[in-house]
PDB file of all heavy atoms in Angstrom:
ATOM      1  N   ALA A 120      -0.468  -6.254   8.417  1.00  0.00           N
ATOM      2  CA  ALA A 120      -1.088  -5.477   7.341  1.00  0.00           C
ATOM      3  C   ALA A 120      -0.196  -4.343   6.865  1.00  0.00           C
ATOM      4  O   ALA A 120       0.666  -3.847   7.594  1.00  0.00           O
ATOM      5  CB  ALA A 120      -2.440  -4.926   7.804  1.00  0.00           C
ATOM      6  N   ILE A 121      -0.473  -3.937   5.650  1.00  0.00           N
ATOM      7  CA  ILE A 121       0.179  -2.816   4.976  1.00  0.00           C
ATOM      8  C   ILE A 121      -0.920  -1.820   4.625  1.00  0.00           C
ATOM      9  O   ILE A 121      -1.970  -2.209   4.118  1.00  0.00           O
ATOM     10  CB  ILE A 121       0.854  -3.287   3.664  1.00  0.00           C
ATOM     11  CG1 ILE A 121       1.812  -4.457   3.891  1.00  0.00           C
ATOM     12  CG2 ILE A 121       1.505  -2.134   2.930  1.00  0.00           C
ATOM     13  CD1 ILE A 121       3.005  -4.147   4.720  1.00  0.00           C
ATOM     14  N   THR A 122      -0.670  -0.547   4.844  1.00  0.00           N
ATOM     15  CA  THR A 122      -1.676   0.454   4.497  1.00  0.00           C
ATOM     16  C   THR A 122      -1.993   0.427   3.002  1.00  0.00           C
ATOM     17  O   THR A 122      -1.092   0.221   2.173  1.00  0.00           O
ATOM     18  CB  THR A 122      -1.250   1.874   4.918  1.00  0.00           C
ATOM     19  OG1 THR A 122      -2.288   2.782   4.589  1.00  0.00           O
ATOM     20  CG2 THR A 122       0.016   2.324   4.215  1.00  0.00           C
ATOM     21  N   GLY A 123      -3.258   0.634   2.670  1.00  0.00           N
ATOM     22  CA  GLY A 123      -3.695   0.664   1.284  1.00  0.00           C
ATOM     23  C   GLY A 123      -3.151   1.843   0.507  1.00  0.00           C
ATOM     24  O   GLY A 123      -3.297   1.912  -0.713  1.00  0.00           O
ATOM     25  N   ALA A 124      -2.497   2.771   1.178  1.00  0.00           N
ATOM     26  CA  ALA A 124      -1.905   3.918   0.487  1.00  0.00           C
ATOM     27  C   ALA A 124      -0.793   3.484  -0.459  1.00  0.00           C
ATOM     28  O   ALA A 124      -0.536   4.134  -1.462  1.00  0.00           O
ATOM     29  CB  ALA A 124      -1.368   4.931   1.505  1.00  0.00           C
ATOM     30  N   CYS A 125      -0.138   2.361  -0.150  1.00  0.00           N
ATOM     31  CA  CYS A 125       0.900   1.815  -1.025  1.00  0.00           C
ATOM     32  C   CYS A 125       1.027   0.320  -0.757  1.00  0.00           C
ATOM     33  O   CYS A 125       1.628  -0.085   0.233  1.00  0.00           O
ATOM     34  CB  CYS A 125       2.240   2.517  -0.803  1.00  0.00           C
ATOM     35  SG  CYS A 125       3.563   1.849  -1.846  1.00  0.00           S
ATOM     36  N   GLN A 126       0.433  -0.467  -1.629  1.00  0.00           N
ATOM     37  CA  GLN A 126       0.513  -1.923  -1.528  1.00  0.00           C
ATOM     38  C   GLN A 126       0.884  -2.493  -2.893  1.00  0.00           C
ATOM     39  O   GLN A 126       0.345  -2.055  -3.906  1.00  0.00           O
ATOM     40  CB  GLN A 126      -0.841  -2.539  -1.156  1.00  0.00           C
ATOM     41  CG  GLN A 126      -1.369  -2.238   0.200  1.00  0.00           C
ATOM     42  CD  GLN A 126      -2.728  -2.890   0.438  1.00  0.00           C
ATOM     43  OE1 GLN A 126      -3.497  -3.142  -0.494  1.00  0.00           O
ATOM     44  NE2 GLN A 126      -3.030  -3.139   1.693  1.00  0.00           N
ATOM     45  N   MET A 127       1.765  -3.485  -2.902  1.00  0.00           N
ATOM     46  CA  MET A 127       2.040  -4.219  -4.133  1.00  0.00           C
ATOM     47  C   MET A 127       1.865  -5.700  -3.854  1.00  0.00           C
ATOM     48  O   MET A 127       2.265  -6.191  -2.789  1.00  0.00           O
ATOM     49  CB  MET A 127       3.445  -3.953  -4.666  1.00  0.00           C
ATOM     50  CG  MET A 127       3.685  -4.670  -6.004  1.00  0.00           C
ATOM     51  SD  MET A 127       5.308  -4.349  -6.709  1.00  0.00           S
ATOM     52  CE  MET A 127       4.932  -2.859  -7.634  1.00  0.00           C
ATOM     53  N   MET A 128       1.252  -6.389  -4.820  1.00  0.00           N
ATOM     54  CA  MET A 128       1.059  -7.830  -4.706  1.00  0.00           C
ATOM     55  C   MET A 128       0.935  -8.437  -6.098  1.00  0.00           C
ATOM     56  O   MET A 128       0.732  -7.720  -7.073  1.00  0.00           O
ATOM     57  CB  MET A 128      -0.180  -8.161  -3.856  1.00  0.00           C
ATOM     58  CG  MET A 128      -1.541  -7.989  -4.508  1.00  0.00           C
ATOM     59  SD  MET A 128      -2.153  -6.301  -4.776  1.00  0.00           S
ATOM     60  CE  MET A 128      -2.127  -5.549  -3.203  1.00  0.00           C
ATOM     61  N   ARG A 129       1.068  -9.740  -6.149  1.00  0.00           N
ATOM     62  CA  ARG A 129       0.815 -10.455  -7.401  1.00  0.00           C
ATOM     63  C   ARG A 129      -0.697 -10.550  -7.615  1.00  0.00           C
ATOM     64  O   ARG A 129      -1.458 -10.676  -6.661  1.00  0.00           O
ATOM     65  CB  ARG A 129       1.435 -11.855  -7.355  1.00  0.00           C
ATOM     66  CG  ARG A 129       2.947 -11.848  -7.289  1.00  0.00           C
ATOM     67  CD  ARG A 129       3.573 -13.243  -7.269  1.00  0.00           C
ATOM     68  NE  ARG A 129       2.970 -14.180  -6.332  1.00  0.00           N
ATOM     69  CZ  ARG A 129       3.153 -14.154  -5.011  1.00  0.00           C
ATOM     70  NH1 ARG A 129       3.899 -13.216  -4.459  1.00  0.00           N
ATOM     71  NH2 ARG A 129       2.580 -15.052  -4.242  1.00  0.00           N
ATOM     72  N   ARG A 130      -1.094 -10.519  -8.861  1.00  0.00           N
ATOM     73  CA  ARG A 130      -2.513 -10.639  -9.199  1.00  0.00           C
ATOM     74  C   ARG A 130      -3.103 -11.926  -8.624  1.00  0.00           C
ATOM     75  O   ARG A 130      -4.217 -11.942  -8.132  1.00  0.00           O
ATOM     76  CB  ARG A 130      -2.717 -10.608 -10.716  1.00  0.00           C
ATOM     77  CG  ARG A 130      -4.169 -10.847 -11.144  1.00  0.00           C
ATOM     78  CD  ARG A 130      -4.345 -10.702 -12.627  1.00  0.00           C
ATOM     79  NE  ARG A 130      -4.023  -9.357 -13.041  1.00  0.00           N
ATOM     80  CZ  ARG A 130      -4.840  -8.307 -12.893  1.00  0.00           C
ATOM     81  NH1 ARG A 130      -6.024  -8.469 -12.353  1.00  0.00           N
ATOM     82  NH2 ARG A 130      -4.478  -7.116 -13.290  1.00  0.00           N
ATOM     83  N   GLU A 131      -2.346 -13.006  -8.672  1.00  0.00           N
ATOM     84  CA  GLU A 131      -2.858 -14.286  -8.167  1.00  0.00           C
ATOM     85  C   GLU A 131      -3.225 -14.190  -6.681  1.00  0.00           C
ATOM     86  O   GLU A 131      -4.188 -14.818  -6.244  1.00  0.00           O
ATOM     87  CB  GLU A 131      -1.852 -15.410  -8.397  1.00  0.00           C
ATOM     88  CG  GLU A 131      -0.580 -15.264  -7.585  1.00  0.00           C
ATOM     89  CD  GLU A 131       0.454 -16.335  -7.845  1.00  0.00           C
ATOM     90  OE1 GLU A 131       1.236 -16.157  -8.789  1.00  0.00           O
ATOM     91  OE2 GLU A 131       0.470 -17.322  -7.089  1.00  0.00           O
ATOM     92  N   VAL A 132      -2.474 -13.416  -5.907  1.00  0.00           N
ATOM     93  CA  VAL A 132      -2.771 -13.244  -4.485  1.00  0.00           C
ATOM     94  C   VAL A 132      -4.048 -12.417  -4.328  1.00  0.00           C
ATOM     95  O   VAL A 132      -4.940 -12.767  -3.548  1.00  0.00           O
ATOM     96  CB  VAL A 132      -1.586 -12.576  -3.744  1.00  0.00           C
ATOM     97  CG1 VAL A 132      -1.956 -12.234  -2.309  1.00  0.00           C
ATOM     98  CG2 VAL A 132      -0.367 -13.480  -3.783  1.00  0.00           C
TER      99      VAL A 132
END
Side-chain angles (χ1 to χ4, degrees):
I121 306 295
T122 182
C125 179
Q126 293 179 333
M127 183 178 272
M128 76 287 304
R129 294 181 313 285
R130 175 176 298 282
E131 67 183 86
V132 173

